[in-house]
Amino acid sequence: TVLGLLRATHHIGCNKEANNTPVRMLFAHGTLRPDISSRGDAWGATHKCHYQAGWVDGYRLRQDPAHGYPFVTRSDRSDKVKGCLLKWTSDEAFVEGMQVCNMIEGYNYSAAESGLYQRAVVGVTVQDKTTFQAYIYYQAKAEGVLQFALDFGDRCFGDWSHGLNTVYRDGN
């Protein structure tokens, strides 16, 4: 059954919304964004999903200059990160997609603290101001470690796809 699949895949669907509905969406802010290129994400993780533009509050978008992908950190400020709210076409497709995303992000529920990314449930606001609950991958690093990271919050309005067009094309 789908519920059995969800339980067997490192607790993908254990988080619940306020109305006790399992979370079945993901907020993508970087290389997992299906709108990052005409082919979508490089791994095909989001090919079986629908998406719409959205944003989350309370996170900051950054990038280590030595790596070609962004990450977000939790923020005490009123920062905003823009990206895509992903919803798969079926529960089975959601499980498959999240398994691939967990692998890409190095996330393992049973050892979540030891991975590069943590995962949380956040409110994602879309253009019509509706808010949906979705997973987000984030890094839980101390601010001091981030002193050399590129900050997309102020320069690119919290939008990595905007940063690709301005930061890298211009060579800055």
Side-chain angles (χ1 to χ4, degrees):
T1 68
V2 172
L3 187 56
L5 281 171
L6 292 172
R7 287 187 179 128
T9 54
H10 298 292
H11 296 52
I12 287 171
C14 286
N15 294 91
K16 305 273 187 180
E17 293 184 51
N19 65 2
N20 209 29
T21 304
V23 174
R24 294 284 187 271
M25 294 184 229
L26 174 68
F27 179 75
H29 51 79
T31 57
L32 286 174
R33 287 177 63 163
D35 67 344
I36 204 69
S37 77
S38 61
R39 296 175 322 227
D41 73 276
W43 303 272
T46 61
H47 291 176
K48 293 182 181 177
C49 71
H50 301 285
Y51 68 91
Q52 59 183 313
W55 68 88
V56 297
D57 294 315
Y59 285 82
R60 190 92 174 157
L61 185 65
R62 304 168 189 270
Q63 182 172 334
D64 181 335
H67 298 97
Y69 54 87
F71 60 93
V72 296
T73 55
R74 287 185 168 168
S75 172
D76 292 332
R77 300 179 292 181
S78 59
D79 293 320
K80 181 183 293 190
V81 174
K82 296 178 184 175
C84 295
L85 177 65
L86 312 178
K87 182 176 183 179
W88 280 263
T89 55
S90 68
D91 283 344
E92 290 86 358
F94 170 76
V95 170
E96 290 173 22
M98 287 299 292
Q99 286 176 325
V100 173
C101 292
N102 285 343
M103 181 196 65
I104 293 164
E105 303 295 352
Y107 179 81
N108 180 344
Y109 181 82
S110 61
E113 297 297 317
S114 66
L116 178 60
Y117 291 98
Q118 306 298 305
R119 195 176 68 191
V121 175
V122 294
V124 180
T125 306
V126 296
Q127 193 168 20
D128 70 1
K129 306 293 189 228
T130 305
T131 300
F132 297 93
Q133 297 296 298
Y135 291 107
I136 189 171
Y137 294 101
Y138 70 96
Q139 284 192 12
K141 291 187 175 185
E143 286 295 318
V145 176
L146 302 172
Q147 65 183 340
F148 299 109
L150 297 172
D151 189 335
F152 287 89
D154 296 327
R155 184 172 185 179
C156 299
F157 315 105
D159 187 343
W160 192 62
S161 69
H162 179 76
L164 286 174
N165 293 330
T166 58
V167 175
Y168 297 104
R169 184 187 65 218
D170 297 341
N172 297 323

